[in-house]
Amino acid sequence: MRNDIEQAVGRQVSGYLARLEEDYALIAKRIPFLAKPTAKCARYQLDDNFLIFWFRFVFRHSFLLQTKGYEQLRDLIRRDYEAFSGFALERYFKAKFAESGDWTLFGGWWDRKGENDIDLLAENELTGVRRVFEIKRRKKLIDLGCVQEKFAAFVRASGEWKRTRPDFVALSMDEM
């Protein structure tokens, strides 16, 4: 991902990324669950809710502000807010898991091609409990069969949890 950023900007950015991550806490480097810290499929993401909203809606549609298209901007926000807030809900549950102390390892997983991703995998190495979570705003939209297929892709790609039958859990706004 850093290489993609450097190609887009036309210069080395590692020092800038380090400052944005370590000094200002505006971005975070994410690696897939159980991947090595040096994994090439790492992603940098904005780590500030205000900036995420700003770049998703305001910056992207700044021409509407310049032309006083406030109603159109409001309609765009209303149209896309559910998808945006679904991402925020994933961030909420990850923070909740971090605070709970119930898990020794947890995180999201994605494959190199971007075809499969799992919202959250969690393991308590002390008790042996392992769970795979799908997170959506509305529970009725969660297909745990699809999550099981993604889990099979995780096992094939990572070689981890081969002899495990984890619990598959649906999380939604009802569990907040």
Side-chain angles (χ1 to χ4, degrees):
M1 177 82 163
R2 189 189 72 179
N3 291 338
D4 296 336
I5 295 170
E6 288 176 346
Q7 287 178 353
V9 205
R11 62 177 14 185
Q12 290 198 350
V13 296
S14 58
Y16 298 108
L17 292 176
R19 292 205 61 206
L20 288 171
E21 183 178 14
E22 297 162 12
D23 297 344
Y24 301 113
L26 294 176
I27 65 170
K29 182 180 180 181
R30 305 278 189 235
I31 58 171
F33 182 70
L34 298 179
K36 295 178 183 176
T38 58
K40 293 190 178 203
C41 49
R43 296 177 177 171
Y44 284 95
Q45 295 177 332
L46 286 172
D47 207 30
D48 179 89
N49 287 327
F50 174 78
L51 288 178
I52 294 168
F53 181 87
W54 175 266
F55 283 108
R56 172 66 180 90
F57 295 111
V58 179
F59 181 77
R60 181 176 183 187
H61 302 289
S62 61
F63 66 93
L64 289 175
L65 295 173
Q66 295 168 359
T67 60
K68 298 185 180 179
Y70 307 123
E71 297 295 319
Q72 291 171 307
L73 180 59
R74 186 193 68 211
D75 292 344
L76 285 168
I77 292 171
R78 283 186 177 154
R79 182 193 74 187
D80 297 341
Y81 187 76
E82 189 166 323
F84 167 78
S85 62
F87 174 72
L89 187 62
E90 286 182 32
R91 289 172 46 89
Y92 165 80
F93 278 113
K94 287 175 184 174
K96 188 174 176 181
F97 275 47
E99 293 171 1
S100 75
D102 294 336
W103 306 99
T104 56
L105 294 170
F106 65 91
W109 175 83
W110 54 91
D111 63 10
R112 290 178 188 249
K113 296 178 184 176
E115 296 171 351
N116 294 296
D117 68 78
I118 299 174
D119 294 335
L120 187 59
L121 294 108
E123 177 178 13
N124 183 320
E125 296 168 298
L126 301 172
T127 63
V129 174
R130 293 176 173 175
R131 293 198 178 124
V132 179
F133 297 90
E134 179 74 4
I135 303 169
K136 294 211 182 297
R137 285 175 41 104
R138 291 183 282 169
K139 192 173 278 194
K140 69 180 182 179
L141 297 177
I142 297 175
D143 178 2
L144 289 179
C146 181
V147 177
Q148 291 174 347
E149 290 173 15
K150 291 178 182 181
F151 175 72
F154 161 74
V155 171
R156 284 190 305 273
S158 69
E160 301 287 341
W161 289 17
K162 285 182 181 179
R163 294 182 171 90
T164 300
R165 255 330 262 163
D167 299 321
F168 293 91
V169 182
L171 293 176
S172 68
M173 291 178 62
D174 298 338
E175 285 74 38
M176 289 184 77

